[in-house]
Every structure is written in C-alpha cells, then in structure tokens.
C-alpha cells in the first residue's frame, strides 16, 4: 500500500517554493491554463495530496523516474526518451471512408434481449458495409461489468478493461444452446420473451433484468458437455492469456460471495496471490471456470462480428473503444495493484461544455511504476482490445502524456495534471496496434497540449475532430479546408447532445434543468443561438442548405454530415443516434442519478424505438448515409488513397467478399 511519501510530512514543507520544487520534480503541474486561456495556480493542498500518492517506497528512487520530466503547463514536451518504441508507427487508412458510431447496447433488434448484442453488431456491420458502403462500425467500450446484478450502466466505468461483458452475448448463437433439452429451451424462451418485447419500446434499458435472464440461461447452457473440438478451442483460448483470464474469473467468483468491490472484502483477500485467495481459487473452481467460459464465448462472438464486417466489404470493420480506466474496486484494480494509484480519481478540469469539470471516479496508473515495467501493463491492455478488431479508439488519448488527478474528497476543479512518459506510452500504443494490423484513433478533444497532436500524428495515431469544437480564433466555424486530415471527423460525441438538439435549443434546456450551467440561462441561450447562426451561414456558404428560414432538424443533421465530407478528414464517424433523429444525449457529464446516463435506447424524432430491422427503410438514416457516401465519392476522384504521415505506405487489406444487398 502507499506510504506517506519519501518527502516527509507536508508540515515540513516551508512555503510555496518548496512544494513547487517537489511537484515539478515528480511531473506534477503547479499551474495550468484553463479553457478560457487564464493561468490557474494549483492549491498547495492538492499538490501535497498528489505528492503523497506518488511517494511510494517501491518507486525507482529518483524524482524524475517517479513522475516524468519537467514542469507542466509549458508548451514544450519533456525530453524524448530513447528506445525502439520511438520508431513504432500505427497503420494508416488506405483511403477516406465512413462508418456508424454506435452505443451498441442501445441498438436492438427483434431478436435481442432488450439490449444490443454482438449478433446485432455483426448484422449492423453487414448491412452498413454491404448496403451503404460503410467501412467501419465504431462501438462503445464493451468492457466487462459486475458478475451479478446490479450492473453499472456506464461502459466507461468497467470492472475490467481487458475482458468483454457477457451482457453482449447472443444466447441463441452459442452452439451448445442447440443441445439443450426441450424443457430447458422452454425455460430460456420464457426468460427471453419479455426482454424481446421490451426491445420494441422506448423504455430505458434495464441491464439488471437483462443480465439476470442471460445469467440464468448461460448457467443452463454451461451444463451442456462440450464436444472434443469445442473443448480444444476453449483450452487454447485459456492458454493464450491464462493469468489475466484467471484473475478476472477469480475476482468474479469471489465477488459473487463478498460483493463487487475488493476494497470491502476481508483483508486476507486483498492480495490476489495470498494464501487465502489461493485456497478460494480451489474452493470456487467451478464458478471460476464458468466465468472463464463466458469470456471464451464473448471473444468468439466478437470475432464473428468482425468476420461479418470484412465479408461485407469493410477494410476496417469493428473499431473498439478503450475507456480511460476501470472501477477502483474492480478486477483490474485488484489484480494490478502494482500499477494502480489508490486515493486518486482522474477526470478533466472545467471546460466550455462541462463548466464544473469532471470526475470519472477512475484510479490512474502510477507513471513511475508503469515505466519500471517498460509499459507492459499498457501493452497487454491494448493487445487484448485490438485482438480480432479493425481499430482501437483510445478515450482521452491525452492520458498518454498527462492526466488530471483529483485527490479523494476534492472537487474536479481542485485537481492538477500529472505527467507520464509519452514516448513510452505512445510507442507502446503504436507498436501493439501495428502488430494487430489495426488502426489507432485518439480522442484528443478538450484541453490538449500544442505538441501532443504532432507527436501522435508522427506515430500515425489519428486524432478526433468534432464539429462543435472546430472554430477559428474569432469563434466562427472553421472552414472545411482548415480541418485536419489525419483524424476521425464527427459532429458530436456520446457526451454531447445529438445534432438536432443543438438546432432546437434542447441542449441548453436539458443542462439548465440539471443545474449544469455556470452562467445565466439567457446568456447560455444567446451564445448557443450565435453558434448555430454561424453554422447555418457556413452550411449555406457550402451550398448544403438554402439561405432561407431555419431548416428542419433532419435537414440540419444531413447538412452537417455532408459538411464533414468537405473536410480532408480520412475517417468520418456518423452517429447512428443523430441519423435516427434522437434528441436525448446518452450521457450528461456531471450527473449520476439526475439523468438516465447510458440507458437510453435508440429512438427516432418521434420518441419511438428504432430497431435494427427498421434501419434499411428509415428515411433519415438513409439520407445521412447517402450524404456522407456521396460526398466522399465526389471528394475523392479516382479513390486515391491518402499519403500516410512520414511518407509511409497506408494500410491496405483484402476487401473480402463483394458488397451485397441489405440483409433485411
């Protein structure tokens, strides 16, 4: 466990100069520039708390090794570190393309159990790739949650980032399902029927009900004896990553007895390698095997979704999403106490849209301990997330260089930045995705150091450009030619209201009702109105909207996505919620119970559920898809592949089977 710290009690510090010296030595920012461009001094109390968390006796011994190099808040990066990883480069897309960005749990079909699943993902990829010319599907993190209800709704607060949540399993696609007795098939059907019915409604997604039903069905299926070939496949899967799967499965089995937060377990269970945990691994061997079996099933169905995407003609396929961290009481935090820092949460300082800052309640990795292991924990994490995937989106990619640390008991605006070895972290990311033949996309929105985007671009890690943030110095929209090429261009993100809500003003209304504004509502509305007026003028300048009265939300959404094709961005992500006409955001940062975060199913402008089978005939979805695919065709004569940074060859892949007609 962490000690008081090598620097002694904070009372021994004499004044700001001493704590500043210690903070800079450990790579902790003593000041930073906020989103308004003002310099903010970090309070001494924050610096002292962060330094205590970094002062473990297991650290490498010198100040620089603990935290990274130099004072933060400067415009220059710390000195580059030598090593082979500095030369690693990620693959680059072979040409400009587009794909849907989805919260998979919200995308349901008539066959799914009230929650989008991996078969739904396969079918969405097959339809959008074969029928619309999409080249990828970007999904939310599919990371594993609690092993029994209640299940945390946020995909960005998982119990493990290395495992896939069995919530995404399609029960009927498990081969052993077909071997159930007639009685057991009847029981499974009884479990499924009310959840399938719920898929056709706009009611909030009930993960607890879904997982309780799937868990009961899975336990029936688990009793079916595997064939010799299936047993061999399972054994090979377990052998590939035995320690990580074993730790996850053991945590699940113990959590079923003592609860899903290891910090509340008996003290003898706090160490995964303790004698008591070893004893429990034997006692709970059956449940441990069950949870390992679930991971085998989910990995197999995910691989099937990627195969479906490639067979439909996609060169990229499924792009997974890597959350910033995992739950402090979860399996990753339990198994990797050699790198996790307790008593600290990561988040973000106040910004334009989240004016109170954000606390994601996720513990950070210790920069010194991570460096001491030469980045292996990160390498293993990335490898697990790109296995069988076509790409990886790294949420808050700025965390490769620095993270906003918030000491326990403090508010988000009382945090500070802590430096990481960006050369090591960026090199590991590029090397692992290159090994998997997958793209890397960094979510670099918000407060970004000026040098970081260049650093990532040199390693061919694509950035993210979001339309609402693409403005010139005077606040007016940035013209298409001023956008980046090496990026995924989007209109919004899962943390932003849908496009239609900006036109209607609902994005201000909902934040005002939730108490998330820091200026009077009238001022916020005036600002929002000015921004929309600017975008309407820009869209008219591009001949994407006529110069007349305000367009309908549907027309506005189509024009925004057509606008993205006028930029040089190599990838364009189309929010399926935007295309369907949804008005509600999936997540409202700064809320917990005040808003149904991560539980909103895909619905249309009329508030009615939109199912996967409805998409081919959905006029608004098709209009957005046609605007993007048509815009890309017009914008890339001859379909010339973009030159990758550094003169290196772009990623090219066999496009698989010919594109085929929609499956519905």
């Amino acid at each position: 466990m962490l000690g008081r710290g090598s620097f002694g009690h904070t009372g021994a510090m004499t004044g700001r100069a001493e704590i500043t010296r210690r903070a800079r030595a450990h790579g902790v920012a003593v000041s930073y520039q906020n989103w308004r461009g003002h310099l903010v001094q970090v309070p001494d109390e924050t610096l002292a708390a962060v330094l205590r968390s970094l002062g473990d006796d297991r650290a490498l011994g010198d100040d620089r090794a603990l935290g990274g190099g130099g004072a933060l808040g400067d415009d220059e990066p710390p000195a580059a570190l030598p090593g082979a990883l500095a030369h690693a480069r990620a693959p680059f897309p072979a040409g400009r393309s587009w794909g849907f960005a989805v919260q998979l749990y919200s995308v349901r079909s008539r066959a799914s159990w009230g929650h989008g699943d991996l078969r739904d993902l396969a079918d969405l990829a097959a339809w959008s790739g074969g029928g619309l010319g999409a080249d990828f599907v970007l999904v939310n993190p599919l990371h594993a949650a609690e092993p029994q209800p209640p299940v945390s709704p946020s995909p960005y607060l998982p119990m493990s980032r290395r495992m896939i949540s069995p919530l995404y399993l399609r029960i009927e696609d498990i081969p052993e399902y077909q071997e159930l007795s007639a009685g057991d098939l009847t029981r499974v059907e009884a479990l499924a029927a009310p959840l399938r019915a719920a898929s056709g409604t706009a009611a909030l997604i009930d993960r607890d009900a879904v997982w309780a039903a799937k868990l009961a069905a899975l336990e029936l299926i688990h009793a079916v004896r595997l064939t010799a070939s299936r047993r061999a496949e399972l054994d090979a899967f377990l052998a590939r990553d035995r320690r990580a799967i074993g730790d996850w499965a053991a945590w699940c089995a113990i959590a079923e007895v003592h609860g899903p937060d290891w910090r509340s377990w008996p003290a003898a269970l706090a160490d995964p390698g303790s004698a008591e945990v070893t004893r429990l691994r034997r006692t709970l061997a059956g449940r441990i095997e069950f949870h390992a079996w679930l991971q085998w099933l989910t990995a197999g169905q995910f691989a099937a979704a990627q195969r479906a995407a490639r067979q439909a003609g996609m060169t990229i396929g499924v792009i997974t999403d890597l959350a910033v961290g995992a739950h402090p009481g979860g399996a990753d935090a339990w198994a990797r106490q050699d790198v996790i820092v307790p008593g600290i949460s990561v988040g973000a300082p106040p910004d334009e849209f989240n004016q109170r800052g954000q606390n994601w309640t996720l513990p950070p990795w210790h920069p010194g301990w991570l460096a001491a292991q030469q980045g292996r924990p990160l390498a293993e994490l990335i490898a697990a997330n790109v296995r069988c995937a076509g790409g990886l989106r790294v949420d808050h990619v700025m965390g490769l260089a620095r993270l906003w640390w918030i000491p326990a008991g403090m508010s988000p605006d009382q945090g500070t930045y802590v430096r990481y070895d960006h050369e090591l972290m960026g090199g590991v990311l590029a090397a692992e995705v290159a090994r998997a033949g997958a793209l890397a996309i960094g979510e670099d929105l918000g407060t970004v150091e000026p040098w970081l985007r260049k650093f990532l671009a040199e390693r061919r890690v694509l950035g993210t450009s979001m339309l609402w943030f693409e403005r010139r110095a005077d606040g007016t929209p940035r013209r298409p030619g001023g956008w980046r090429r090496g990026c995924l261009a989007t209109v919004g993100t899962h943390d932003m209201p849908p496009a239609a809500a900006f036109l209607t003003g609902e994005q201000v209304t909902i934040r005002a009702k939730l108490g998330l504004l820091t200026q009077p509502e009238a001022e916020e509305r005036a600002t929002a109105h000015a921004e929309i007026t600017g975008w309407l003028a820009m869209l008219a300048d591009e001949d994407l909207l006529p110069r007349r009265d305000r367009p309908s939300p549907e027309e506005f959404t189509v024009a925004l996505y057509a606008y993205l094709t006028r930029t040089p961005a190599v990838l364009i992500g189309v929010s399926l919620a935007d295309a369907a006409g949804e008005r509600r955001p999936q997540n409202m940062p700064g809320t917990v119970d005040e808003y149904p975060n991560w539980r909103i199913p895909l619905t249309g402008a009329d508030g009615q559920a939109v199912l996967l089978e409805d998409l081919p005939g959905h006029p608004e979805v098709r209009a957005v898809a046609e605007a993007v695919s048509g815009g890309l065709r017009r914008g890339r004569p001859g379909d010339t592949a973009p030159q990758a940074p550094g003169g290196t060859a772009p990623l090219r892949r066999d496009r698989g089977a010919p594109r085929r007609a929609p499956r519905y």
Side-chain angles (χ1 to χ4, degrees):
M1 293 297 170
L2 291 175
R4 185 182 297 276
S6 59
F7 60 89
H9 191 277
T10 57
M13 295 183 175
T14 56
R16 180 76 178 180
E18 175 62 14
I19 199 168
T20 294
R21 183 189 70 81
R22 298 298 300 179
R24 288 176 181 252
H26 287 270
V28 180
V30 299
S31 64
Y32 65 94
Q33 193 174 62
N34 70 9
W35 66 282
R36 296 183 186 276
H38 302 152
L39 188 67
V40 178
Q41 297 294 326
V42 177
D44 288 0
E45 294 79 4
T46 297
L47 297 177
V50 170
L51 287 170
R52 280 196 297 272
S53 72
L54 286 169
D56 181 53
D57 291 339
R58 290 176 293 175
L60 299 182
D62 72 337
D63 291 339
R64 186 177 178 82
L66 275 171
L72 301 184
D74 299 334
D75 287 341
E76 296 299 323
L81 299 176
L85 290 178
H87 303 290
R89 299 292 183 271
F92 197 80
R96 296 188 72 203
S97 63
W98 74 277
F100 283 119
V102 304
Q103 298 291 305
L104 181 57
Y105 54 83
S106 74
V107 183
R108 303 167 301 172
S109 64
R110 290 183 173 85
S112 51
W113 293 25
H115 182 285
D117 60 36
L118 291 165
R119 164 59 82 83
D120 294 326
L121 174 60
D123 289 347
L124 176 63
W127 168 67
S128 63
L132 300 179
D135 206 35
F136 62 87
V137 178
L138 169 61
V139 298
N140 59 281
L142 305 182
H143 305 323
E146 294 87 341
Q148 59 185 8
V151 178
S152 301
S154 174
Y156 292 91
L157 186 61
M159 295 294 139
S160 173
R161 293 189 289 170
R162 292 190 63 171
M163 306 296 152
I164 302 175
S165 174
L167 263 171
Y168 291 99
L169 283 171
R170 173 65 66 87
I171 297 298
E172 294 84 354
D173 284 359
I174 301 170
E176 287 70 36
Y177 167 81
Q178 304 299 332
E179 304 302 319
L180 290 175
S181 67
D184 283 346
L185 285 171
T186 300
R187 293 185 185 93
V188 172
E189 181 58 30
L191 292 167
L195 297 173
R196 291 200 197 106
S199 291
T201 75
L204 296 177
I205 293 170
D206 187 346
R207 285 178 175 79
D208 290 348
V210 173
W211 182 229
K214 287 193 174 183
L215 185 59
L218 288 163
E219 287 173 341
L220 291 173
I221 297 171
H222 185 242
V224 176
R225 184 180 180 86
L226 296 176
T227 64
S229 61
R230 290 277 287 167
R231 170 55 65 180
E233 291 173 11
L234 172 58
D235 290 344
F237 172 81
L238 297 176
R240 184 182 67 198
D241 209 0
R242 190 172 301 279
R243 175 181 172 183
I245 295 171
D247 284 345
W248 161 253
W251 180 88
C252 286
I254 299 172
E256 289 177 329
V257 177
H258 294 289
D261 190 329
W262 71 270
R263 297 168 299 177
S264 65
W265 293 355
L269 304 180
D271 180 359
S274 71
E276 182 61 16
V277 170
T278 300
R279 185 190 68 79
L280 272 181
R281 287 179 191 259
R282 293 192 297 268
T283 302
L284 301 175
R287 292 306 290 178
I288 291 174
E289 192 275 334
F290 173 74
H291 289 290
W293 173 78
L294 292 180
Q295 286 305 305
W296 173 54
L297 297 180
T298 54
Q301 290 194 7
F302 180 84
Q306 175 66 356
R307 285 196 300 272
R310 297 295 303 281
Q311 289 167 2
M314 291 183 170
T315 63
I316 299 173
V318 180
I319 301 177
T320 59
D321 196 349
L322 178 64
V324 178
H327 193 289
D332 285 359
W334 179 66
R336 297 311 307 253
Q337 294 175 59
D338 59 332
V339 74
I340 297 291
V341 180
I344 297 287
S345 292
V346 299
D351 61 29
E352 180 179 8
F353 197 78
N354 302 292
Q355 297 170 10
R356 299 185 185 279
Q358 300 178 59
N359 185 338
W360 302 325
T361 70
L362 304 166
W365 281 352
H366 191 298
W369 302 344
L370 188 60
Q373 298 183 56
Q374 298 180 324
R376 283 192 302 274
L378 178 62
E380 293 167 358
L381 177 64
I382 293 170
N385 279 271
V386 294
R387 190 174 291 134
C388 299
L392 178 70
R393 174 191 180 272
V394 180
D395 194 41
H396 195 71
V397 75
M398 295 83 79
L400 296 179
R402 66 178 186 177
L403 276 173
W404 184 256
W405 284 27
I406 307 166
M410 295 187 182
S411 60
D413 61 343
Q414 293 176 295
T416 190
Y417 287 108
V418 174
R419 177 75 64 188
Y420 288 78
D421 183 343
H422 69 282
E423 292 282 1
L424 173 65
M425 304 277 275
V428 166
L429 171 60
E432 290 302 322
V433 296
R435 184 175 291 114
L439 304 178
I441 302 169
E443 187 269 299
D444 56 350
L445 302 172
T447 305
V448 185
E449 294 172 288
W451 59 269
L452 182 60
R453 285 185 173 130
K454 179 181 178 183
F455 168 78
L456 294 173
E458 288 171 348
R459 281 143 188 82
R460 302 211 302 266
V461 176
L462 302 178
T464 301
S465 291
M466 185 180 70
L467 182 136
W468 304 120
F469 287 0
E470 289 294 325
R471 293 195 294 269
R472 296 181 292 191
D474 62 0
T476 58
R478 191 185 307 280
R479 293 196 172 276
W483 287 49
R484 290 182 286 175
R485 180 175 62 90
C487 73
L488 168 71
T490 69
V491 171
T493 72
H494 54 260
D495 287 333
M496 302 286 285
F502 279 84
L503 183 70
T504 63
E506 291 167 273
Q507 64 97 352
V508 176
T509 301
I510 188 171
R511 287 189 292 143
K513 288 182 177 178
L514 294 170
L516 298 177
L517 302 180
T518 57
Q519 63 178 348
E521 183 177 345
E523 293 181 18
E524 190 75 17
R525 288 195 181 279
T527 299
H529 177 76
E531 291 175 354
I532 289 299
T533 299
W535 275 109
L536 291 174
M538 177 65 75
L539 295 171
D541 288 345
E542 291 289 323
D543 294 324
L544 295 171
L545 283 177
R547 294 186 185 276
R548 56 170 174 78
D549 294 337
R550 289 166 78 86
S552 69
E554 293 77 18
E555 292 169 332
F556 181 62
T557 300
V558 169
L560 289 177
Y561 280 101
Y563 182 85
L564 295 184
T565 69
R566 305 285 177 90
T567 76
V570 68
L571 298 181
I572 296 176
V574 176
S575 164
L576 186 57
D578 275 359
E582 176 65 81
R583 303 293 178 86
R584 301 166 297 174
Q586 276 293 331
N587 179 50
M588 287 301 297
T591 65
V592 181
D593 298 323
E594 305 92 330
Y595 185 81
N597 295 318
W598 314 114
R599 290 179 285 161
I600 296 173
L602 183 65
T603 62
D606 59 1
Q608 299 300 305
V610 175
L611 298 182
L612 191 56
E613 293 89 346
D614 302 330
L615 295 178
H618 196 291
E620 288 79 16
V621 171
R622 295 204 71 96
V624 171
E626 288 167 4
V628 175
S629 58
L632 288 178
R633 284 194 300 272
R634 288 188 293 273
R636 50 172 184 172
D639 195 27
T640 303
Q643 179 65 31
T648 51
L651 171 67
R652 295 187 181 275
R653 293 181 177 175
D654 179 2
R655 292 195 61 87
R659 295 188 182 273
R660 57 191 184 216
R663 298 178 56 164
Y664 304 118

